[in-house]
Amino acid sequence: MVTQPRHPQPHHADGSTDQLATQLIRLVRLGARVKTRITKAGPEGLESAAYAILFHLVDKGPQRASRLADLLHSDISTISRQSSALVDHGLVERLADPADGRASLLAATPEGLRVFETNRRKRNEWLERVLEEWTDSDRRTLNALLLRLNDRIETCDPLADPARRTDKGECT
């Protein structure tokens, strides 16, 4: 006997929270798959998660490991392990922190910037193929909605008490 799935995928967007959650999970999984395939072109043995550190160093400049842990919502031991791998591969270097000589900053090397830009180019070429039939208006709408969603996700604690929301409706 063939059984139907408990939550079949509708062929149209119904606006439900459940459908949105399902599509977000699907998007994250597909994004991880693409990221893994694109970053395989990088140095052998480097975890694809380490590229998030490289991204932040290229995007925001030299950072302390503790700041990267905050930015990436990760623990310091994970950042330390991944940044050490990036240093070993010549993509990141440790610099003295001018504000505190006892601390060090992590910074992208020229090779790190080259690898990052290569991966960015490959990602953008792939995404251009994915969106080739989309209108400019659709792309702008998608960007605006993703920006709005990401901004809200960053400020909304999933474990916060909904009864403690502020007058502005902000998450705590």
Side-chain angles (χ1 to χ4, degrees):
M1 178 176 162
V2 176
T3 59
Q4 293 294 321
R6 285 176 42 139
H7 301 287
Q9 291 288 329
H11 295 287
H12 65 282
D14 65 13
S16 71
T17 302
D18 187 60
Q19 186 185 51
L20 177 60
T22 299
Q23 292 305 318
L24 284 173
I25 290 166
R26 182 178 174 212
L27 176 64
V28 168
R29 287 183 179 154
L30 290 168
R33 184 179 76 187
V34 168
K35 179 181 175 185
T36 299
R37 293 192 67 190
I38 288 173
T39 58
K40 280 193 186 287
E44 187 68 32
L46 190 62
E47 295 178 46
S48 64
Y51 285 96
I53 293 173
L54 185 59
F55 167 79
H56 280 286
L57 295 176
V58 169
D59 187 53
K60 299 184 182 342
Q63 302 285 319
R64 286 186 179 186
S66 58
R67 177 70 179 135
L68 288 166
D70 289 342
L71 288 168
L72 295 169
H73 310 289
S74 189
D75 61 79
I76 194 72
S77 63
T78 300
I79 297 300
S80 178
R81 179 177 44 79
Q82 291 175 341
S83 61
S84 290
L86 287 164
V87 169
D88 291 345
H89 284 90
L91 305 179
V92 168
E93 62 185 340
R94 288 186 176 87
L95 306 172
D97 185 342
D100 181 354
R102 299 168 295 170
S104 65
L105 297 174
L106 296 166
T109 63
E111 177 63 7
L113 183 58
R114 186 196 67 74
V115 168
F116 172 80
E117 290 299 337
T118 298
N119 286 334
R120 173 185 267 174
R121 181 183 46 76
K122 288 178 184 178
R123 179 204 62 204
N124 288 349
E125 288 170 354
W126 166 79
L127 194 52
E128 188 63 39
R129 290 192 316 269
V130 169
L131 299 174
E132 68 188 355
E133 295 176 5
W134 289 45
T135 66
D136 287 342
S137 175
D138 285 344
R139 289 176 180 219
R140 282 192 298 276
T141 299
L142 178 62
N143 277 327
L145 291 172
L146 286 173
L147 177 64
R148 184 176 164 195
L149 178 63
N150 285 333
D151 286 349
R152 186 74 169 155
I153 288 171
E154 283 182 335
T155 61
C156 192
D157 181 349
L159 302 178
D161 180 359
R164 296 185 60 211
R165 291 175 55 164
T166 66
D167 290 340
K168 294 179 184 177
E170 296 171 358
C171 290
T172 55

